[in-house]
Amino acid sequence: MDERETAGSEAAEPLDEPAAGADRLRQDRPHSARMYDYYLGGKTNYAVDRAAAEAVIRQFPAIRTTARVNRAFVHRSARFLARERGITQFLDIGTGIPTAPNLHEVVQREVPQARVAYADNDPIVLVYADSLLGSSPEGRTDYVEADVSEPDALMAAVEATGCLDFKRPVGLSMNALLHFLPDDRDPYGVVAALTDRLAPGSYLSLSHCTPDFAPEVWAQIVDIYVKGGTPTQVRTREEVVRFFDGLVLEEPGVVVAHQWRPEPASGPSLVTDAEVSLYAGVARKE
């Protein structure tokens, strides 16, 4: 998959009326996962999400490119770990609304026996979690509702499923997640606590929005999310690199996401760094 792929959810029409339990599902105000779904061309979003997403698009028309490039990086990095690094276990935190193909579908094409555990604290993801459980016959998938801000509890919940063996290497995916953890929620401590639980030979894959190329525009985007009830903090490349402290970065290091190991079949990228505004990297625990 390349950055030109769109991978939205498959509901026939956009959602327009909040359902029962709207308060728990945040259907009465913009929701970051549903806004991301809208950027990808999906249908799992409400008028309130589309209005907020369109406000972001007015500030930064390339946000749809950012979302597609992120999705493509998720797929490339997962294939790289499965195909070239022999990783057969994956933990995807901050799963978001399922989109096709999901992470387990990508890695199980490479390694049918791969096991994938998904974790998210968002009730709306649980509504669609069945889409995350369609494992290959040889492999397995599981989903847990857990908060990344409580890493010990999250890892205990995943371990309780029996899906992953933390004594063996795991590919930890934290893509498009950490910009929703402001500094007052200790994002660096969260990442360190999670990677501390992983066996040597495990990998951390993450992507993170950045203001480096258009700081004033991204300040306005952050404001839209914060006013909608989603704490948000974008970070510079130096700040993103800090998430990999103590780990060994795979080449080419932390780069704008479309530059991370582009696949020849995709052809030359036509997007600019400023349009992407998303850093990405993969690193190994020794």
Side-chain angles (χ1 to χ4, degrees):
M1 308 292 171
D2 67 17
E3 56 267 20
R4 293 163 291 186
E5 177 194 16
T6 57
S9 55
E10 298 178 355
E13 297 293 338
L15 307 171
D16 285 312
E17 295 297 329
D23 288 345
R24 185 166 189 262
L25 295 180
R26 285 189 55 182
Q27 291 168 284
D28 57 340
R29 58 193 188 275
H31 189 291
S32 59
R34 295 192 304 258
M35 290 170 67
Y36 183 71
D37 176 77
Y38 180 76
Y39 300 145
L40 286 172
K43 304 297 184 182
T44 309
N45 49 74
Y46 291 87
V48 67
D49 307 305
R50 297 191 286 276
E54 287 293 341
V56 172
I57 291 167
R58 285 193 294 273
Q59 296 295 334
F60 186 57
I63 192 68
R64 286 190 170 105
T65 297
T66 307
R68 290 195 298 268
V69 169
N70 178 70
R71 196 73 191 148
F73 167 73
V74 172
H75 294 169
R76 286 200 313 279
S77 59
R79 282 194 294 270
F80 165 76
L81 292 179
R83 183 187 299 165
E84 300 189 33
R85 294 296 180 262
I87 299 298
T88 60
Q89 302 188 108
F90 291 82
L91 172 55
D92 183 10
I93 303 179
T95 305
I97 295 168
T99 57
N102 293 299
L103 182 67
H104 70 277
E105 295 167 312
V106 173
V107 299
Q108 288 178 349
R109 287 172 187 167
E110 304 295 329
V111 185
Q113 69 271 26
R115 292 177 165 234
V116 179
Y118 295 100
D120 204 303
N121 72 329
D122 190 338
I124 196 170
V125 179
L126 183 61
V127 171
Y128 297 97
D130 284 350
S131 298
L132 301 173
L133 302 177
S135 175
S136 67
E138 302 93 334
R140 178 175 169 183
T141 66
D142 263 296
Y143 174 81
V144 299
E145 190 172 359
D147 192 334
V148 70
S149 296
E150 301 173 356
D152 291 339
L154 185 152
M155 295 296 267
V158 173
E159 191 168 29
T161 69
C163 181
L164 304 183
D165 178 1
F166 287 117
K167 296 183 179 65
R168 299 192 296 111
V170 171
L172 171 60
S173 171
M174 301 184 74
N175 291 298
L177 168 65
L178 293 167
H179 42 246
F180 296 125
L181 283 185
D183 286 345
D184 61 7
R185 295 181 67 187
D186 190 23
Y188 297 105
V190 165
V191 173
L194 291 168
T195 55
D196 282 350
R197 287 289 308 276
L198 300 180
S202 294
Y203 285 82
L204 169 64
S205 168
L206 70 81
S207 58
H208 196 299
C209 287
T210 182
D212 280 359
F213 306 100
E216 294 182 0
V217 169
W218 277 91
Q220 295 169 17
I221 293 172
V222 168
D223 190 56
I224 292 169
Y225 276 91
V226 171
K227 286 181 176 176
T230 300
T232 304
Q233 181 176 339
V234 292
R235 294 182 171 92
T236 65
R237 182 181 181 278
E238 182 180 4
E239 290 170 322
V240 174
V241 170
R242 279 185 58 199
F243 286 114
F244 295 102
D245 282 356
L247 306 176
V248 180
L249 280 161
E250 291 280 354
E251 292 294 336
V254 175
V255 295
V256 185
H258 66 299
Q259 298 178 1
W260 195 90
R261 294 180 176 261
E263 295 174 344
S266 301
S269 175
L270 301 178
V271 300
T272 67
D273 290 357
E275 288 173 318
V276 175
S277 289
L278 182 85
Y279 286 121
V282 175
R284 182 180 74 257
K285 178 178 179 179
E286 294 195 316

